[in-house]
Amino acid sequence: MIDILKSFSILALELTILFFVISFVIHILQAYIPYEKIEKRMTGNNRIGASIVAIVFAFITPFCSCSTIPIVVNLLKNKIPFSIVMVFLFASPVLDPTIITVMGVVMGWEIAGLYTFITAICSIIIGFTLDHFGFEKYVKRVTMTGFNSSTSTFNWSEAWNETWQLMKNVYPYLIIGAAIGALIHGVVPTEWIVTWFGHDAWWLIPIAAVIGIPLYIRLSSMIPISQVLIMKGMALGPVMAMMISSAGASLPEIVLMKSIFRKKLIIAFILSVLSMSMISGIMFYFV
């Protein structure tokens, strides 16, 4: 019990310091991001360039999967091409700069870099594929008021308030993940994890991808859990498959999508996230 509490205290303290400092710095930097210019770049004729801009936009706007939806509505309202909006939709929940930085520190920069690259490429491919097969016709015509994407001015107080708000929303999941990770570290035998969930357990990748969606495990919770599981010998593929599917297609997000997308596009979205998570899991399986 003492070892579990010690592991939890160390892990929670490290994650708290990392998450707070990184979040605060990012909120300061966001005051200097020209959002309107970025949106204009996404309307260009060069779709590849526009999709890269959409990835960057997804990266610098750290929203969870649910809060991505209002941004999607705003992009559609501003006549951003459907394929580019879809690239943003798939990339935004999984490319959170704070979480990826924490992932790099906790799990290693090679894993964080590969995770970023795979999810970005998959987002672009899926966005263009849905556009190619004409899924734009399944978008409902919706309007939204009260959203403002204009560039803000630097304000220490505002940066602090936004960081504090993010901490209140996300930090509990981070602590829950640290607690579960400490419990796994202290209770679950390493040999058992290696035997049942080790590198030969390739069949866990599709199972983990399917399980991840209804669980809605936040990335902030999965990182400390994943770190412990990987340290004990669990295959990286299933861990990443569950991480991406749970963050990319949560049940709350799917419910919100019903207000802007028709059923066929929602089904295509879920299947696309499952594909992304399984492809990513397979890629990480061979790492």
Side-chain angles (χ1 to χ4, degrees):
M1 186 64 181
I2 295 176
D3 289 339
I4 294 175
L5 291 174
K6 183 179 179 181
S7 298
F8 169 73
S9 300
I10 294 173
L11 190 58
L13 180 61
E14 290 177 349
L15 291 173
T16 299
I17 295 173
L18 277 172
F19 194 84
F20 178 81
V21 173
I22 295 166
S23 298
F24 187 68
V25 171
I26 287 174
H27 280 113
I28 290 175
L29 295 176
Q30 281 186 320
Y32 300 98
I33 296 172
Y35 290 105
E36 292 180 347
K37 291 182 179 180
I38 291 175
E39 286 192 11
K40 289 181 180 178
R41 295 263 182 189
M42 287 191 283
T43 61
N45 294 326
N46 185 346
R47 292 298 175 88
I48 298 297
S51 64
I52 294 174
V53 174
I55 293 292
V56 174
F57 187 54
F59 185 79
I60 61 178
T61 51
F63 298 102
C64 69
S65 57
C66 294
S67 54
T68 298
I69 301 302
I71 313 301
V72 169
V73 175
N74 185 72
L75 293 176
L76 291 170
K77 183 189 72 174
N78 291 338
K79 307 300 182 182
I80 305 297
F82 174 75
S83 59
I84 307 304
V85 176
M86 290 298 100
V87 172
F88 172 83
L89 175 63
F90 284 96
S92 183
V94 295
L95 292 180
D96 184 307
T98 303
I99 298 301
I100 289 176
T101 305
V102 173
M103 182 189 295
V105 175
V106 173
M107 301 173 65
W109 291 106
E110 182 180 353
I111 291 177
L114 186 58
Y115 168 88
T116 302
F117 176 78
I118 292 174
T119 51
I121 295 298
C122 285
S123 298
I124 294 173
I125 293 174
I126 292 171
F128 279 73
T129 300
L130 291 178
D131 183 50
H132 176 75
F133 286 103
F135 277 90
E136 184 176 4
K137 62 186 176 184
Y138 300 114
V139 176
K140 297 179 182 179
R141 299 306 171 189
V142 296
T143 58
M144 181 181 62
T145 60
F147 179 82
N148 182 14
S149 62
S150 60
T151 305
S152 58
T153 56
F154 173 75
N155 187 301
W156 284 99
S157 177
E158 184 176 339
W160 167 260
N161 290 335
E162 290 180 355
T163 301
W164 178 246
Q165 188 63 39
L166 183 64
M167 289 289 288
K168 288 195 297 183
N169 292 335
V170 178
Y171 187 68
Y173 296 97
L174 202 71
I175 294 301
I176 291 172
I180 296 174
L183 187 64
I184 294 172
H185 178 75
V187 175
V188 182
T190 300
E191 295 77 12
W192 186 84
I193 292 180
V194 172
T195 300
W196 293 101
F197 304 103
H199 291 285
D200 292 330
W202 59 267
W203 47 269
L204 280 174
I205 293 175
I207 295 175
V210 172
I211 291 175
I213 291 179
L215 285 181
Y216 186 33
I217 304 175
R218 298 286 290 266
L219 278 177
S220 50
S221 295
M222 274 300 295
I223 288 175
I225 298 172
S226 301
Q227 180 198 19
V228 174
L229 289 173
I230 292 169
M231 286 174 57
K232 281 185 167 286
M234 184 171 180
L236 186 58
V239 172
M240 287 298 175
M242 182 178 291
M243 181 183 294
I244 292 171
S245 65
S246 62
S250 66
L251 288 179
E253 180 188 22
I254 293 171
V255 172
L256 287 175
M257 279 186 178
K258 293 176 67 177
S259 64
I260 62 173
F261 295 155
R262 303 190 189 281
K263 185 181 295 184
K264 288 187 177 180
L265 182 51
I266 294 175
I267 293 173
F269 171 82
I270 296 172
L271 293 176
S272 297
V273 172
L274 286 173
S275 299
M276 178 194 290
S277 60
M278 284 189 281
I279 290 171
S280 301
I282 292 171
M283 296 287 288
F284 277 103
Y285 178 79
F286 292 104
V287 171

